[in-house]
Amino acid sequence: MTRSVADLLFRPRSIVVYGASSDPDKLSGRPLDYLKRFGFSGQIYAVNPRRPEVQGIRAYAKVADVPGPVDLAIVVVPAPAVVEAIRACADAGVGAAIIFASGFAEIGADGRPQQDEISAIARRTGMRVVGPNCLGSFAAEDRAFATFSTAFDEDGERAVSPIALASQSGAVGTFTYSTMNAVGLGVTYFANTGNEADVTVTEILSALVDAPDVKVLMGHIEGCGNMEALATLASAARERGKPLIILKSGRTPAGARAVAAHTASAAGDDTAFEVVLTAHGAIRVPSMEAMADTALALVDGRRAAGRRLTIVTLSGGGGALAADRAVELGLQVDTWASEQDRSVLAAELPYFGSTMNPIDVTGAMINDLSLLERTLRIVSDNEDTDAILVLLGNADRGSDEIVATLIKAHRATNKPFLVAWTGGSGRPRTALLQAGVPTYTDPHRATECMSRVIHVDLPST
Amino acid sequence: MTRSVADLLFRPRSIVVYGASSDPDKLSGRPLDYLKRFGFSGQIYAVNPRRPEVQGIRAYAKVADVPGPVDLAIVVVPAPAVVEAIRACADAGVGAAIIFASGFAEIGADGRPQQDEISAIARRTGMRVVGPNCLGSFAAEDRAFATFSTAFDEDGERAVSPIALASQSGAVGTFTYSTMNAVGLGVTYFANTGNEADVTVTEILSALVDAPDVKVLMGHIEGCGNMEALATLASAARERGKPLIILKSGRTPAGARAVAAHTASAAGDDTAFEVVLTAHGAIRVPSMEAMADTALALVDGRRAAGRRLTIVTLSGGGGALAADRAVELGLQVDTWASEQDRSVLAAELPYFGSTMNPIDVTGAMINDLSLLERTLRIVSDNEDTDAILVLLGNADRGSDEIVATLIKAHRATNKPFLVAWTGGSGRPRTALLQAGVPTYTDPHRATECMSRVIHVDLPST
């Protein structure tokens, strides 16, 4: 039985590094180093005609000499040697090959024929090809680090979240990964597809849509020739309740020129792209930062039953900013219908706060923290509240207790619960993130993420 | 001669704390503590009927007993005692009074009459009133810390930038200040106006528009009853080449309700507000983070001669994202007209980079840093380039040299020069900020700031 592209890339039984160097600092030496150092669970081989052994791994002169089936070949030879290597891999029955080298269709007529030849080999033989012009892939569990990127070469424990991130741009992928790391998120599967001579971002995410260890799918796309495949992916993701977050370049002529120079992609009709995403409830984001922000809001799997957002703030001014943005994005920020809840709140809040939504607990909260605790309990139980946004800021002084109160309140409800903590040292924010409370630096960013959480299951208005 | 509101607040010859407490940790004790500790250069007095001395400062039973003229009174008594205090200050010839207490028009009918009385006293006597429901003001040079906010109570050196920040919301003001601090910016003048019984954000910024130590004016506004004053401010700022950055709440019904509950402001007609700002080249931002971002881009005073942006990137994907956003915001991201420059670039860049705009120096830059240096020199000198955006990321490895190259290139040109450094540890970003290179976490944010820099002197398209 043929293995899926996800199995070959992320759960390979064996990996061969084609052209492996003995210097682990060189691009062509890094994959072997990573596979060994991070403890890849399958078989590792090298192909190197000049040495019997590379970095302690048995090397073969030709890929055909490698014993047993090879699921994945990491091709690290320079561009002029790539077509021959790919042909040899296909002839040897390799399942999939990743090509790092640049210098193909993205440089124009000088590189296009070689890339076309690679595509033709893939089509003819059934061997799957990732790249060229990519930095590879990795799977956290199997430790299949088929990459030369130093972005994953971290000391200490690597955060793993139930997220698949596939990107057409290597740097956008690793920058996004690193931005996610900064808020405590990792990924389970990562792949960069580059010029997409064969395998696309859409195909990789489609192959992972049923994976039980993936709850959020993230894709960066430069070209999109296959709208049908995109629609199928988006629709499958929605059916399974797995948010699909898409960052797409090439909306403008300058952007389209840039993606053509970068991965030889045709950016295509942006309106058509947008229509497909919107029709199937996928989430389009404008930036890498927004991509990471959005994953943070969605990864805990909480979903809102409706559009009614309750904002709890110690800053009336911050509450107004968030309320404006929320309403612009189609959320409801209304005074509660429940008179009983309103009167209980009125009894809790000092006379200069507001029991209307946004609920302003004011700076008095700092001196009497139970005020925040009691307010959040009422909000969690309130039937007119589908999602909760808490706005705080500065004030390291006393922040440990505030953080503890927020963590407790977050755990006590199943409603989406996002926090913005603006300014200050960053210490309270870090503590909240470590406890799994999605926390942002600015009410505006938090509100935009909240609208995405709410719109996963509800069409935008 | 009557002193202006800016002189009274920011260059007072004498300050009296009305109702000063002997406990420096209490709200009513903090202003005296700050004035002493931060070294206010003028006279300090206290009014306290129960003590001859407060925190080592001579206290008088009544404000009328204070010898010599009083420029500024900080009124720290609770709400029920405020009207009487204000009356006493006005009768004693005080120049301006700041009222901290809440519980006035923002709570509705129960507080409106007292606030109206305060407004009437100000009108009748000419004493200027800041607040109520505010946290005060400070001036960095004179160390006139007329505030109870702990946001300015920092250890170590306080960053001072040629910026005036006036906000109607105390928390929005201090959160923004703190967000600015995180990127190395400070302010020269800060004021929070709260309910604006008399003095408004618009008036404070207008009074500072000619100050030689102010290059950027920042305002957070909740209500705007006086469009004429706003137009005058915006027009005066533009004439002097000082960017005016405005954050305004109350665009939506929920936002308008929130500002009414917060500072009893009428949010007014948002379209009219927008029209006035746009007509006079003021910059409206959507969030506190965007406000700080924008100040960072504008504070060095560099301005673009045109809309032609050149993007230099090591990530083709990141370049495409930035190019899209730039074009959407009315900038030009075009391939250079200068054939000579294009051919010099083509000789510099590796065959898989791009010499079209965005210029993609690719990861090869890491191994040959002179590539970035030479490219930036060509870009700086290029006649088709009005502004420069550099996109980098991750890679702490070797970042010291990259940072040094960027700092040198930034200093070698007068063109606006912004950097986005995405992901990684944050260390390179901090080093760039410390050297005065405006640096952002994401190309999208940097591009939005660049569009604001370019549109200061050029109408939006």
Side-chain angles (χ1 to χ4, degrees), chain B residues 356-369:
Chain B
M356 294 185 301
N357 190 7
I359 297 168
D360 186 1
V361 294
T362 80
M365 183 206 92
I366 309 281
N367 298 319
D368 177 9
L369 203 57

Side-chain angles (χ1 to χ4, degrees), chain A residues 87-106:
Chain A
R87 199 173 285 130
C89 286
D91 290 347
V94 167
I98 295 175
I99 306 169
F100 291 165
S102 305
F104 292 86
E106 84 281 8

Side-chain angles (χ1 to χ4, degrees), chain A residues 16 137 154 159 161 165 180 194 234 236 246 255 260 281 283 294 315 331 333 368 443:
Chain A
V16 61
S137 60
E154 295 144 10
S161 309
L165 170 59
M180 290 165 66
I246 297 289
I283 301 166
T294 306
S315 155
L331 309 189
V333 184
D368 176 11

Side-chain angles (χ1 to χ4, degrees), chain B residues 291-371:
Chain B
M291 206 176 195
D293 277 2
T294 306
L296 178 64
L298 286 162
V299 74
D300 67 11
R302 297 187 186 200
R303 300 291 180 266
R307 288 192 189 81
R308 296 165 308 168
L309 175 66
T310 293
I311 300 169
V312 178
T313 179
L314 72 55
S315 156
L321 291 167
D324 271 342
R325 189 64 187 142
V327 171
E328 283 174 349
L329 293 170
L331 309 188
Q332 289 167 239
V333 184
D334 299 332
T335 304
W336 294 348
S338 161
E339 270 185 51
Q340 201 197 322
D341 284 359
R342 282 206 321 267
S343 63
V344 174
L345 260 184
E348 297 288 352
L349 293 180
Y351 69 102
F352 43 85
S354 173
T355 59
M356 294 185 301
N357 190 7
I359 297 168
D360 186 1
V361 294
T362 80
M365 183 206 92
I366 309 281
N367 298 319
D368 177 9
L369 203 57
S370 74
L371 197 61

Side-chain angles (χ1 to χ4, degrees), chain A residues 128-452:
Chain A
R128 306 310 311 273
V129 176
V130 177
N133 190 20
C134 79
L135 53 73
S137 60
F138 83 79
E141 180 156 358
D142 286 5
R143 308 197 168 240
F145 279 79
T147 180
F148 66 86
S149 172
T150 56
F152 313 107
D153 186 3
E154 295 144 10
D155 298 326
E157 215 175 324
R158 189 176 289 109
V160 178
S161 309
I163 294 175
L165 170 59
S167 74
Q168 204 173 344
S169 159
V172 169
T174 57
F175 291 3
T176 302
Y177 174 77
S178 179
T179 304
M180 290 165 66
N181 283 178
V183 292
L185 291 180
V187 302
T188 298
Y189 304 109
F190 173 94
N192 165 225
T193 55
N195 288 8
E196 302 196 337
D198 175 29
V199 174
T200 63
V201 163
T202 307
E203 185 182 359
I204 287 178
L205 294 178
S206 295
L208 289 168
V209 82
D210 277 318
D213 48 4
V214 171
K215 305 289 185 207
V216 176
L217 300 152
M218 301 173 74
H220 165 259
I221 296 178
E222 299 211 317
C224 194
N226 195 340
M227 289 288 185
E228 208 174 323
L230 182 71
T232 305
L233 164 63
S235 158
R238 176 173 245 188
E239 259 170 44
R240 287 153 185 81
K242 298 186 180 184
L244 173 66
I245 307 170
I246 297 289
L247 177 63
K248 165 79 166 68
S249 317
R251 295 189 300 272
T252 66
R257 191 178 63 238
V259 305
H262 181 227
T263 53
S265 297
D269 177 349
D270 198 73
T271 310
F273 187 86
E274 185 86 30
V275 164
V276 167
L277 289 191
T278 307
H280 297 286
I283 301 166
R284 187 171 185 179
V285 290
S287 68
M288 297 183 266
E289 203 159 65
M291 206 176 195
D293 277 2
T294 306
L296 178 64
L298 285 162
V299 74
D300 67 10
R302 297 187 186 200
R303 299 292 179 265
R307 289 193 187 81
R308 296 166 306 168
L309 175 66
T310 293
I311 299 169
V312 177
T313 180
L314 71 54
S315 155
L321 291 167
D324 271 343
R325 190 64 185 142
V327 171
E328 282 174 349
L329 294 170
L331 309 189
Q332 289 168 238
V333 184
D334 299 331
T335 304
W336 294 347
S338 161
E339 268 185 53
Q340 201 197 320
D341 284 1
R342 284 208 318 268
S343 62
V344 174
L345 260 183
E348 296 289 350
L349 293 179
Y351 69 103
F352 43 83
S354 172
T355 58
M356 294 185 300
N357 189 6
I359 296 168
D360 185 1
V361 294
T362 82
M365 183 206 91
I366 310 281
N367 298 321
D368 176 11
L369 203 57
S370 74
L371 198 61
L372 178 64
E373 192 178 343
R374 286 172 288 157
T375 302
L376 288 174
R377 199 176 308 143
I378 297 165
V379 171
S380 296
D381 295 341
N382 172 251
E383 290 180 1
D384 301 322
T385 298
D386 298 314
I388 302 162
L389 181 62
V390 184
L391 312 180
L392 298 164
N394 290 347
D396 264 23
R397 199 185 291 194
S399 70
D400 289 350
E401 291 75 18
I402 300 177
V403 164
T405 302
L406 289 173
I407 292 170
K408 206 173 136 195
H410 177 260
R411 285 189 188 149
T413 180
N414 287 321
K415 296 175 182 176
F417 186 116
L418 306 186
V419 174
W421 192 297
T422 307
S425 70
R427 200 167 55 78
R429 202 156 43 232
T430 304
L432 286 163
L433 287 168
Q434 279 169 349
V437 183
T439 306
Y440 299 86
T441 50
D442 192 280
H444 195 260
R445 279 168 79 171
T447 305
E448 299 207 324
C449 288
M450 185 58 97
S451 89
R452 296 181 190 122

Side-chain angles (χ1 to χ4, degrees), chain B residues 27-102:
Chain B
L27 184 150
S28 52
R30 273 181 230 145
L32 215 49
D33 178 51
Y34 292 159
L35 290 168
K36 286 173 12 189
R37 191 142 53 88
F38 299 140
F40 170 55
S41 53
Q43 284 295 320
I44 314 176
Y45 306 105
V47 167
N48 185 322
R50 291 183 311 278
R51 299 165 178 275
E53 191 199 283
V54 180
Q55 298 185 45
I57 297 290
R58 170 77 192 270
Y60 299 87
K62 294 179 297 186
V63 67
D65 298 342
V66 175
V70 173
D71 276 347
L72 181 61
I74 308 173
V75 175
V76 301
V77 297
V82 163
V83 171
E84 193 195 316
I86 289 299
R87 198 172 285 130
C89 286
D91 290 347
V94 166
I98 295 175
I99 306 169
F100 291 164
S102 305

